[in-house]
Amino acid sequence: MNSYNLTHLKVLESEAIFIIREVAAQFEKPVMLFSGGKDSIIMFHLARKAFYPDKIPFPLMHIDTGHNFPETINFRNKLIEETGENLIIKLVQESIDNGTAIEETGLNPSRNGLQTVTLLEGIEGGNYDCALGGARRDEEKARAKERFFSHRDEFGQWDPKNQRPELWNLFNGKKNQGEHFRVFPISNWTEMDVWQYILDEKIEIPSLYFAHKRHVVNRDGVLLSKCEHISLKNNEEWQEKTVRCRTIGDMTCTGVSESRASTMEEIIEEVATTRVTERGGRADDKRSEAAMEDRKKEGYF
Amino acid sequence: MSESKGYLDMELLRFTTAGSVDDGKSTLIGRLLYDSKAIFEDQIQNLQEVNEQRGEEGINLALLTDGLRSEREQGITIDVAYRYFATPKRKFIIADTPGHIQYTRNMVTGASTANLALLLIDARHGVIEQTKRHAFIASLLQIPHVAVCVNKMDLVDFSKDEFEKIKSDFKKFASKLEIKDVNFIPISALKGDNVVDRSKNMDWYEGSTLIHLLENIHIGSDLNHVDCRFPVQRVIRPQSKNYPDYRGYAGRIEGGVFKTGDEILTLPSGKKSTIKSIDTFNGEINEAFSPMSVCITLNDNIDISRGDMLVRTNNQPQISQDIEVMICWMNERKLIPKGKYTIRHTSQTTRCIIKEIKYKIDINSLHRMEQENELSMNDIGRISIKTTKPLFFDSYRRNRNTGSIILVNEATNETVGAGMII
């Protein structure tokens, strides 16, 4: 008899496709969150696989803080143009203009927290009953306790102590009016799996992930990129370095790392030997011990 | 490049860990993650800071697995936590479940998708009630492999006699269960003996280290590749310029091997056809097996929708509305005799009524308590149910994917029961 074994990447891919299809079947009006980072690019790729040869039966939604790397936005626009899928853009600036979100002040005011307001407004305004996200359990300790199908109350809040048990491949997306779900199809992927999959599937990613020259400032051990939203302190100065992004978020809180990795193979080599977690460079996670848990409870991604 | 190629050949092993609060379970997981370099410097730094705040010295590996604030405060694990690590041979997913008595539901959850159960026994205390409970759940959930780690061997002078006694006690109890493949390993999670590195303190032990077992145990036969089962998740009909008449059935193979040209039977209609193509985004393939997600097209136009199942004509599942189930109750509201629940099975959703509670199992003694007529949170018992429409199922023992169900409370929408079809 043949040996019917799949590689771990194929198993993870099949699991994610299964879950994305379950979302399309169990919810009336799902939406897929899209940030232009590698995890959401993979999610987009998996969604196309799940419904091939049909189009993705739900729209993508980008919560745009206005603090993005320009490379991310260019990549996003090109991807949508090439695939002809449907993208909705929600601006954090609009929430600020409407007075529902209030801008932070200081040297690098972050709009990271404000995204939650715009996200919940986007979900509520569009009457979406499920938002697919690319969060992974290996990213952060509070995320390690997250379900694939994560229930949110009518305030969009997560109750980690009262999660529904999730067994076998049987997912329960039942809810009351006004409540919604967050679903995370790549929960079981690690950073290494994501990179290997991008290599294996030859998926295009923004140039930011590869080594390039950039002006940065070292603030509390995090290298921040030069942009209009960051002001220097007295003793600080911009320095040109060869860097790349391991994770892409806002320019105000995404640390870049010094690297010479300019091909997928070199990136994988680097990920295999690196000794700091992916989110180690995220200033948003450094704000407190339970920063992610608190943000998630309020309705963050 | 050779390294990245190697990575593409890795297999995936899912395992669940069970042990009581003080068995050193978190320490063992911390040890596996630490020795396989799955823990990063900033995580260690973070642990050091937390430990300093708590007035403890050194690094408490247990804190790596306790993610929520209240868990760290109370020093207990509340919920199933998923952890990941990899060696050059395999990628591992750990479902780390709390061991306290009130958390049976978490253990059942972690066990439901596991290839292997890792049971921890404190060498000083031997086989205790909790060990029996964990072994019973591993057996009930039909986890294909069990690794019994006798921990804290350093505290019993690495004694072979102590280890052998625990081994024979466990075997005696396990003979009443259905555990197919048991392996015993004497370890010290704290000192690292026989976890990743072979112990220098136990020359008498000739078996493999824990990591060697995890890397090499044969998991190729854990899935059913005999009985062809394809529950339809969704119908794919693009109605686009390039695919005006395409009609495909999207789903995951839950058993057996499907090939192009195979004659199939559709349930519940009973209509026959042959497989025209098995499509994926990366191109057409000739055969598909569990757990692949594919899209199947047929040579005949048959009315098929979500919840239907494609099978082979000469190998059909059971088709019935009367089903016997071993159920683990997972909700504070007790199971209601004669109560009505939503039932989910493969891609089907329907309703059912609880006809009878046959017995409850005392999970310490394994006795059947036939007088019991209620099931509360964390209870396990046998019930019979009647569904509003027929389900197409196999016994859980034969196929975990087509033999499992969940019950959903129709008022609260919560998942309240996890069932294995007998």
Side-chain angles (χ1 to χ4, degrees):
Chain A
M1 194 175 154
N2 285 330
S3 99
Y4 292 112
N5 274 346
L6 292 179
T7 64
H8 76 291
L9 286 178
K10 290 285 173 205
V11 174
L12 292 173
E13 179 193 69
S14 177
E15 178 179 85
I17 289 175
F18 178 83
I19 287 162
I20 293 170
R21 286 170 171 172
E22 275 305 288
V23 165
Q26 290 197 29
F27 295 96
E28 279 173 29
K29 206 176 171 198
V31 65
M32 179 175 268
L33 303 175
F34 184 85
S35 72
K38 65 181 189 315
D39 296 329
S40 63
I41 292 168
I42 279 209
M43 286 280 293
F44 179 65
H45 185 74
L46 290 164
R48 290 183 74 204
K49 284 195 166 198
F51 304 107
Y52 173 84
D54 201 355
K55 285 194 154 189
I56 303 174
F58 42 75
L60 309 178
M61 184 160 76
H62 184 204
I63 305 303
D64 189 339
T65 56
H67 287 181
N68 290 287
F69 287 91
E71 291 90 336
T72 312
I73 299 299
N74 293 341
F75 182 89
R76 176 195 78 188
N77 295 344
K78 189 169 147 256
L79 189 69
I80 295 303
E81 197 186 306
E82 281 170 6
T83 56
E85 299 286 353
N86 180 12
L87 172 78
I88 298 163
I89 299 166
K90 288 283 167 197
L91 301 172
V92 169
Q93 188 62 50
E94 265 179 33
S95 304
I96 294 172
D97 295 345
N98 294 336
T100 48
I102 294 162
E103 186 107 68
E104 284 187 9
T105 51
L107 286 171
N108 50 333
S110 169
R111 287 186 167 180
N112 190 287
L114 307 188
Q115 286 180 97
T116 305
V117 174
T118 312
L119 171 64
L120 293 176
E121 285 173 357
I123 290 172
E124 212 173 292
N127 280 319
Y128 297 112
D129 57 354
C130 174
L132 283 149
R136 309 191 322 265
R137 288 172 180 156
D138 82 323
E139 279 181 273
E140 208 282 332
K141 54 188 178 288
R143 288 206 161 143
K145 311 252 155 166
E146 181 71 271
R147 302 290 191 264
F148 280 102
F149 272 50
S150 181
H151 179 255
R152 300 302 154 105
D153 67 15
E154 48 192 333
F155 299 98
Q157 299 179 113
W158 182 54
D159 182 1
K161 283 196 209 164
N162 192 23
Q163 301 193 77
R164 293 179 184 178
E166 209 162 71
L167 300 104
W168 299 292
N169 308 313
L170 298 169
F171 296 99
N172 173 9
K174 292 193 78 144
K175 59 183 172 1
N176 290 321
Q177 199 70 36
E179 300 174 343
H180 75 274
F181 269 78
R182 300 285 174 85
V183 175
F184 306 105
I186 59 167
S187 290
N188 276 333
W189 298 47
T190 60
E191 184 188 11
M192 188 53 143
D193 297 329
V194 168
W195 286 115
Q196 289 288 351
Y197 189 72
I198 290 170
L199 173 68
D200 201 25
E201 293 278 314
K202 302 181 181 65
I203 298 169
E204 251 191 87
I205 51 171
S207 56
L208 290 166
Y209 285 113
F210 301 98
H212 58 281
K213 284 201 163 55
R214 177 178 290 275
H215 282 94
V216 295
V217 61
N218 185 335
R219 185 169 291 168
D220 305 326
V222 178
L223 293 182
L224 295 171
S225 302
K226 185 173 182 176
C227 65
E228 56 186 312
H229 317 295
I230 299 178
S231 344
L232 292 181
K233 294 182 202 167
N234 285 335
N235 56 347
E236 289 177 336
E237 58 174 9
W238 297 113
Q239 290 174 296
E240 192 182 66
K241 288 189 191 280
T242 303
V243 297
R244 68 175 205 89
C245 292
R246 277 180 83 187
T247 160
I248 295 181
D250 278 2
M251 293 190 83
T252 52
C253 65
T254 303
V256 295
S257 45
E258 286 194 75
S259 167
R260 306 228 160 246
S262 57
T263 64
M264 280 306 303
E265 284 81 2
E266 284 168 2
I267 289 176
I268 285 165
E269 186 70 36
E270 189 184 282
V271 172
T273 51
T274 189
R275 302 304 307 141
V276 182
T277 60
E278 206 180 348
R279 297 193 75 93
R282 293 286 285 251
D284 45 332
D285 288 351
K286 292 202 166 175
R287 292 192 171 191
S288 92
E289 160 69 26
M292 177 66 89
E293 183 180 343
D294 293 341
R295 280 183 293 158
K296 278 182 69 64
K297 280 180 182 165
E298 289 160 13
Y300 187 69
F301 299 105
Chain B
M1 190 64 205
S2 62
E3 223 175 273
S4 51
K5 272 251 168 60
Y7 194 89
L8 298 177
D9 286 335
M10 283 161 56
E11 287 178 324
L12 178 66
L13 180 114
R14 297 173 202 249
F15 70 95
T16 176
T17 53
S20 61
V21 190
D22 305 313
D23 285 340
K25 178 168 60 80
S26 298
T27 310
L28 176 62
I29 292 174
R31 168 66 60 190
L32 282 170
L33 299 177
Y34 191 79
D35 285 0
S36 65
K37 302 193 168 49
I39 299 176
F40 297 99
E41 278 168 11
D42 52 323
Q43 286 174 308
I44 300 226
Q45 189 196 342
N46 179 269
L47 283 185
Q48 274 166 342
E49 282 166 13
V50 172
N51 277 22
E52 276 164 25
Q53 279 168 20
R54 292 158 57 117
E56 294 167 9
E57 276 181 36
I59 293 174
N60 182 350
L61 290 174
L63 287 179
L64 274 172
T65 55
D66 297 333
L68 302 172
R69 196 192 325 243
S70 48
E71 293 177 319
R72 290 168 166 247
E73 282 165 6
Q74 296 171 47
I76 55 160
T77 314
I78 291 171
D79 203 75
V80 186
Y82 295 90
R83 295 283 154 191
Y84 305 84
F85 71 101
T87 67
K89 283 194 170 173
R90 279 185 178 162
K91 173 194 160 103
F92 300 95
I93 301 180
I94 313 174
D96 180 23
T97 65
H100 333 270
I101 181 163
Q102 66 270 39
Y103 291 123
T104 299
R105 73 172 209 167
N106 287 325
M107 279 189 280
V108 170
T109 302
S112 73
T113 50
N115 302 93
L116 179 141
L118 200 160
L119 304 187
L120 268 170
I121 297 178
D122 186 326
R124 296 169 302 173
H125 306 140
V127 175
I128 57 175
E129 280 199 347
Q130 192 155 250
T131 319
K132 294 179 181 175
R133 209 153 53 220
H134 295 160
F136 170 66
I137 288 172
S139 149
L140 183 73
L141 274 288
Q142 295 276 307
I143 301 180
H145 314 279
V146 171
V148 179
C149 290
V150 180
N151 191 23
K152 306 195 183 178
M153 288 299 291
D154 51 316
L155 300 182
V156 295
D157 297 326
F158 300 103
S159 156
K160 183 182 181 189
D161 289 348
E162 295 287 342
F163 175 69
E164 292 297 335
K165 183 180 176 302
I166 291 169
K167 200 168 146 181
S168 96
D169 285 352
F170 186 90
K171 279 185 172 168
K172 203 166 127 200
F173 174 76
S175 64
K176 289 183 267 181
L177 302 171
E178 282 182 64
I179 299 181
K180 291 168 220 159
D181 175 29
V182 197
N183 303 268
F184 297 88
I185 309 173
I187 65 166
S188 165
L190 193 65
K191 315 260 177 191
D193 294 72
N194 286 336
V195 179
V196 172
D197 300 316
R198 179 157 282 281
S199 170
K200 294 190 180 74
N201 300 307
M202 291 178 275
D203 291 339
W204 48 265
Y205 175 70
E206 289 173 344
S208 54
T209 60
L210 176 59
I211 199 77
H212 186 266
L213 180 80
L214 293 174
E215 279 186 323
N216 292 287
I217 203 157
H218 177 70
I219 55 171
S221 312
D222 291 0
L223 291 170
N224 180 321
H225 294 310
V226 177
D227 311 309
C228 293
R229 305 287 183 258
F230 184 74
V232 174
Q233 258 187 300
R234 183 183 172 86
V235 182
I236 304 278
R237 291 189 65 194
Q239 296 177 300
S240 61
K241 215 184 337 170
N242 294 340
Y243 300 93
D245 300 315
Y246 187 93
R247 190 184 178 90
Y249 305 104
R252 184 161 65 175
I253 314 279
E254 301 293 13
V257 182
F258 286 84
K259 295 188 173 79
T260 313
D262 278 355
E263 188 183 58
I264 55 95
L265 180 79
T266 65
L267 296 173
S269 74
K271 294 207 169 102
K272 289 179 188 171
S273 184
T274 49
I275 294 180
K276 183 178 170 191
S277 66
I278 304 172
D279 297 335
T280 75
F281 184 82
N282 299 53
E284 218 179 299
I285 52 175
N286 294 323
E287 61 173 18
F289 50 90
S290 185
M292 289 166 73
S293 287
V294 294
C295 185
I296 292 180
T297 66
L298 302 177
N299 281 311
D300 302 279
N301 260 332
I302 304 176
D303 183 21
I304 296 173
S305 53
R306 177 175 166 87
D308 293 0
M309 191 185 272
L310 307 187
V311 301
R312 296 294 300 272
T313 317
N314 56 3
N315 178 340
Q316 296 183 28
Q318 297 181 60
I319 303 170
S320 175
Q321 287 174 261
D322 292 291
I323 303 167
E324 297 282 308
V325 178
M326 284 297 281
I327 193 119
C328 173
W329 201 249
M330 308 196 128
N331 198 266
E332 279 155 4
R333 293 184 183 81
K334 290 174 187 168
L335 176 139
I336 305 162
K338 310 291 175 204
K340 296 183 181 71
Y341 294 90
T342 293
I343 179 170
R344 296 224 47 211
H345 170 256
T346 65
S347 55
Q348 280 236 45
T349 305
T350 182
R351 300 180 73 210
C352 72
I353 181 165
I354 311 294
K355 274 168 45 188
E356 190 188 353
I357 299 174
K358 298 227 156 136
Y359 55 80
K360 183 167 122 179
I361 292 182
D362 178 329
I363 54 173
N364 295 316
S365 65
L366 301 187
H367 287 147
R368 293 174 178 182
M369 302 184 286
E370 301 195 353
Q371 278 72 38
E372 294 282 337
N373 52 9
E374 60 176 42
L375 290 176
S376 314
M377 176 100 131
N378 296 308
D379 281 348
I380 292 169
R382 178 168 172 165
I383 59 171
S384 51
I385 60 173
K386 188 175 188 75
T387 56
T388 51
K389 61 181 182 188
L391 299 185
F392 328 118
F393 60 89
D394 298 286
S395 70
Y396 183 80
R397 196 175 277 115
R398 184 139 185 109
N399 188 330
R400 285 163 104 184
N401 298 328
T402 54
S404 50
I405 58 126
I406 56 169
L407 297 183
V408 176
N409 180 313
E410 297 185 336
T412 66
N413 295 326
E414 290 168 308
T415 304
V416 291
M420 288 137 282
I421 300 173
I422 293 167

